Amino acid sequence: MRKTTVIAAALVVAAAAAGCSSSSDDSAAPVDCTPTLGAEDLAEEGVLTMATNATLPPMQYVDPNGEVIGMRVDLGKEIAKRLCLTPNFVNIEFDAQIPGVQSGRWDMIDTGMFYTPARAETIDLVPYEVQAVSISVPSGNPENISSVDDLAGKTIGVEAPGYEFDTLTALSEQFVADGKPAMTVQTFKTNADAYQALSAGQLDGTSIVESVTSFYQSDGRFETAVGGINEAPLAMGFAKDSKSAGEVARVLDEMRADGYLPDLFAEYDVTGYDGAIEVSTGPLDS
């Protein structure tokens, strides 16, 4: 069963407003453990620096004590532990994450980034998880949205840029081609901002992965109206040809084999990627 630690939406919004922040975890690198990544491979020697946008509970978010927590944070800590490194999380909006990993500001993107062939041409990707796009609406579903077709003519919020935005844009274009009203896709800097607008009655719904819409449903103010849209793998992201990508792929594969990864996914009701956990630079094998 998924963890359902209920936090106020205002807390998530406040965290988003804080912008870029760094959270040095108190989990020191294991003793009697030799890192396979050296100073030349890392943004900071002995530290695995990971970018995340901590506005997506329960996957990654900021708790009342200001700590970045969630499933992907737990996963990042375990990766760092197995690499004999100290974990450090940089909480920053998604659109800054790819340029940051390309420039070496951080070693890895650990934020639930959808795998796309176009994205794999710019950075190295390691797929490990599967998610689908879903639509969250106010409790009671006042617009009676129950299928993808019901989104025609509706105003849906989404964090942009990103896979969810691309998915909604393609759906809207298809609606128009089919002679239906276009969907108005309203973009926000963060998912938390989109939920704030939904709370204020400015949207008919908002779009994010199913794990997040299910979490927001837990406090009774929202519900998931449509799920299972455009399912695809999620991936960790790295600079092109970085040694860290191969090392993270290796430990993720170990985690799947020894049961850590399946157990973590089961705790959060998340589907694991069933293909090869390896560095990928183009279309995935079907």
Side-chain angles (χ1 to χ4, degrees), residues 12 31 41 44 56 59 68 100 159 180 187 190 198 214 242 245 276:
V12 180
V31 296
D41 305 311
E44 180 182 351
L56 301 173
M59 312 313 286
V68 178
E159 180 178 305
K180 300 175 183 178
T187 61
T190 71
L198 183 61
S214 295
S242 67

Side-chain angles (χ1 to χ4, degrees), residues 11-67:
L11 175 63
V12 180
V13 172
C20 176
S21 61
S22 182
S23 175
S24 295
D25 191 79
D26 57 7
S27 303
V31 296
D32 301 325
C33 184
T34 303
T36 57
L37 296 172
E40 68 278 9
D41 305 311
L42 299 165
E44 180 182 351
E45 185 174 6
V47 176
L48 184 65
T49 304
M50 295 166 276
T52 192
N53 58 331
T55 64
L56 301 173
M59 312 313 286
Q60 65 261 7
Y61 63 101
V62 180
D63 73 5
N65 297 317
E67 295 297 319

Side-chain angles (χ1 to χ4, degrees), residues 145-217:
I145 296 171
S146 61
S147 70
V148 168
D149 287 342
D150 292 335
L151 299 175
K154 301 297 191 295
T155 300
I156 306 297
V158 66
E159 180 178 305
Y163 185 83
E164 295 91 340
F165 171 76
D166 293 342
T167 296
L168 294 185
T169 300
L171 282 174
S172 184
E173 291 171 352
Q174 187 61 52
F175 290 153
V176 173
D178 293 342
K180 300 175 183 178
M183 183 194 328
T184 300
V185 181
Q186 187 168 334
T187 61
F188 295 86
K189 188 174 183 180
T190 71
N191 175 67
D193 293 338
Y195 266 100
Q196 188 176 45
L198 183 61
S199 295
Q202 299 167 1
L203 303 170
D204 297 315
T206 189
S207 177
I208 191 62
V209 295
E210 290 179 337
S211 294
V212 177
T213 59
S214 295
F215 181 92
Y216 273 98
Q217 182 171 289

Side-chain angles (χ1 to χ4, degrees), residues 15 35 41 51 79 82 85 101 116 119 125 129 135-136 158 172-173 184 193 197 221 238 254 268 271 275 284:
D41 305 311
I79 290 170
R82 296 190 185 211
L85 300 170
V101 81
T116 68
R119 192 168 280 161
L125 296 173
E129 178 188 341
I135 304 297
S136 188
V158 66
S172 184
E173 291 171 352
T184 300
D193 293 338
R221 294 183 302 136
F238 306 84
E254 289 176 358
Y268 286 86
T271 301
L284 295 173

Side-chain angles (χ1 to χ4, degrees), residues 228-245:
I229 305 170
N230 212 10
E231 183 178 88
L234 272 59
M236 305 288 188
F238 306 84
K240 276 292 184 184
D241 301 318
S242 67
K243 184 178 178 181
S244 57

